[in-house]
Amino acid sequence: FDLIHDAINHRASSPTDDQSEHREDVARIEKALRGNPALVHEREEFTEHTPLHLAAAGFVPGIAEALLRHGADARAVSILI
């Protein structure tokens, strides 16, 4: 979960048109998900946000698409704060 969170925060804090950097983030996440498929279903402790929620909120479609390819629940509900 931290890898996904960090990649999304990195994208949000330094928006760039550098597609190679974005592809590297997606590739790292894809590799992590292949190694541990359960990552896609993890949730933040207090808000219950999923990695897909974070990707969508961070406007990172490449990461969101990778999460969906690996079985993220597009209908998951979290607590909004």
Side-chain angles (χ1 to χ4, degrees):
F1 194 84
D2 289 339
L3 172 68
I4 295 165
H5 191 264
D6 292 346
I8 293 166
N9 281 341
H10 176 257
R11 260 325 254 181
S13 66
S14 61
T16 178
D17 290 334
D18 184 359
Q19 293 302 311
S20 64
E21 186 175 313
H22 182 62
R23 283 191 298 273
E24 289 173 11
D25 288 341
V26 172
R28 275 194 298 278
I29 289 168
E30 293 259 13
K31 182 178 179 182
L33 292 170
R34 283 191 299 276
N36 184 0
L39 289 174
V40 78
H41 301 293
E42 288 190 352
R43 290 181 172 263
E44 285 187 329
E45 184 176 352
F46 299 106
T47 65
E48 298 185 11
H49 289 145
T50 65
L52 184 57
H53 290 132
L54 298 178
F59 301 101
V60 190
I63 293 174
E65 290 167 358
L67 293 165
L68 289 167
R69 281 193 297 276
H70 286 272
D73 182 358
R75 296 181 183 196
V77 177
S78 67
I79 300 168
L80 298 174
I81 54 171

